[in-house]
Amino acid sequence: MKNNARLFLYGILFTIIVAAISYLLSYIPVLSSIGALAIAIIISMIYRNSIGYPEPLRGGITFVSKKLLRVAIILYGLKLNLYIIATDGLWLLIGGIFVILFSVFMIIFINKLFNGNENIALLLGFGTGICGAAAIGTVSSIIKSDEEDTAISIGLISLVGTFFALIYTFLFPVVNLTDSVYGMWAGLSLHEIAQVVLAGSVSQDSLAFSLLAKLSRVFLLVPVSFVLMYIWSKRTTRESTTQKVNFPYFLIGFLLLAVINTFIAIPENISQAIDEIAKFLMIMAMVGLGLNVSFKSLLNKAKVPMISLLVTSSLLSVITYFLLILI
């Protein structure tokens, strides 16, 4: 029993070490544009496919990739101020609904045309439409996606989203948008919060509006998850399976922290500390997920979803750009 407990802790320690290395590497100029999440997945995949999965440590690693991932998602709730979203960001919620519907249906449509992996396409659709890794982690728990598909999806969304964020920063001087409209464009169309910050940091106004637009989409994670649960339960019933749809209880914690952040003024230093903890827990979870990906599976599963993601992201950028100009 003591030996099992020791191996469990060693598994957690393993993810901490790799996460810390990934975090530090993300400060290197070239790697900083990729981000710590993608770095952690890449390192873990290289480890798995060269050295092998550290089987004795599986218990602790699985705990991190499943349980601590959900803790990280809960802590994301502290980014939301429901009052600001309900007032200043109300019309952005409508834009967010459009972005989610477009992303999910377009990725699934393109993926189906070329017979790609359905699970990964679904995860990428919600990851693109809502908030990247956090949305993929939530949706994967509802549809019971395996860890390999989840890791591939998060890796793709991190890399493609970062690529688009960098393009946005280069386009800023030539797109002929005001700082605030450019910020809304980035917030409505980019995948991860970190990518929105990267693209929106060209000025204070653009950063403020990009975060408002993005957090309006993050807020939609809760209602969208309940809608998906309903649809998925109907699907499993129709297919006469005994498998039950998981209720993502951690979303209650996510919403509760959003309510707390709305009505209680949390000191900025504490808020920043919690944000860093959530980020590090997410990186640790990526280590656990990345260890489940084989390069062979990546090549077989990722090609079509990757094309679907690139095409959908490109269309999303163009459509939201012209919509904002017209508005």
Side-chain angles (χ1 to χ4, degrees):
M1 184 66 72
K2 285 184 178 180
N3 189 48
N4 288 339
R6 190 181 297 112
L7 290 173
F8 180 84
L9 292 175
Y10 285 163
I12 295 174
L13 181 61
F14 179 89
T15 65
I16 291 174
I17 292 170
V18 179
I21 293 170
S22 304
Y23 184 84
L24 292 173
L25 287 174
S26 70
Y27 283 95
I28 296 174
V30 176
L31 295 177
S32 62
S33 60
I34 299 175
L37 295 182
I39 292 171
I41 289 178
I42 292 168
I43 291 175
S44 303
M45 286 168 53
I46 292 171
Y47 187 98
R48 153 73 189 271
N49 289 274
S50 57
I51 299 173
Y53 192 100
E55 199 61 46
L57 310 181
R58 181 177 287 277
I61 293 170
T62 302
F63 171 79
V64 170
S65 64
K66 291 186 175 179
K67 304 298 183 183
L68 292 192
L69 173 61
R70 295 174 184 182
V71 173
I73 295 171
I74 290 171
L75 293 178
Y76 263 64
L78 285 177
K79 293 178 179 289
L80 291 177
N81 186 304
L82 302 179
Y83 177 76
I84 293 175
I85 291 172
T87 53
D88 298 342
L90 186 57
W91 72 272
L92 289 171
L93 282 174
I94 299 171
I97 293 170
F98 164 76
V99 167
I100 293 167
L101 291 174
F102 178 83
S103 301
V104 172
F105 286 112
M106 184 55 66
I107 287 181
I108 289 175
F109 173 73
I110 297 171
N111 186 75
K112 196 167 186 178
L113 281 179
F114 298 98
N115 297 314
N117 184 285
E118 292 183 5
N119 252 15
I120 294 176
L122 188 63
L123 293 174
L124 287 175
F126 286 102
T128 301
I130 307 175
C131 54
I136 290 172
T138 303
V139 172
S140 67
S141 72
I142 295 172
I143 68 173
K144 295 185 178 179
S145 171
D146 64 51
E147 291 190 351
E148 183 175 67
D149 288 352
T150 304
I152 290 172
S153 302
I154 291 174
L156 290 177
I157 211 89
S158 298
L159 292 171
V160 172
T162 300
F163 172 70
F164 273 83
L166 291 171
I167 289 177
Y168 275 40
T169 58
F170 290 123
L171 287 176
F172 174 69
V174 297
V175 289
N176 197 29
L177 297 175
T178 63
D179 287 8
S180 58
V181 175
Y182 168 80
M184 285 186 278
W185 181 43
L188 279 173
S189 56
L190 290 175
H191 313 70
E192 295 269 4
I193 290 178
Q195 294 155 7
V196 169
V197 171
L198 173 62
S201 294
V202 293
S203 75
Q204 285 298 112
D205 278 351
S206 65
L207 182 59
F209 278 93
S210 65
L211 285 173
L212 178 61
K214 181 60 183 175
L215 291 176
S216 297
R217 289 163 63 197
V218 174
F219 168 77
L220 291 169
L221 177 63
V222 176
V224 167
S225 295
F226 283 109
V227 171
L228 179 62
M229 281 176 56
Y230 175 77
I231 294 171
W232 214 254
S233 65
K234 290 293 183 182
R235 173 177 169 174
T236 53
T237 301
R238 189 169 60 250
E239 293 175 355
S240 302
T241 63
T242 56
Q243 185 182 25
K244 291 183 179 180
V245 175
N246 284 343
F247 180 82
Y249 288 100
F250 56 91
L251 282 183
I252 296 174
F254 173 88
L255 192 56
L256 180 61
L257 288 189
V259 171
I260 291 172
N261 188 52
T262 303
F263 295 102
I264 299 175
I266 300 173
E268 190 172 344
N269 59 334
I270 294 177
S271 179
Q272 288 178 347
I274 294 173
D275 191 41
E276 286 299 314
I277 291 170
K279 180 181 177 181
F280 195 77
L281 290 177
M282 187 71 79
I283 299 169
M284 288 172 61
M286 295 309 103
V287 175
L289 292 172
L291 286 169
N292 287 283
V293 180
S294 71
F295 286 146
K296 184 178 179 181
S297 293
L298 181 65
L299 291 172
N300 290 335
K301 289 183 174 182
K303 285 183 289 188
V304 174
M306 176 79 160
I307 294 169
S308 305
L309 176 60
L310 283 168
V311 173
T312 301
S313 298
S314 300
L315 290 173
L316 186 62
S317 294
V318 173
I319 291 170
T320 51
Y321 173 80
F322 283 108
L323 284 176
L324 286 168
I325 287 178
L326 293 172
I327 293 171

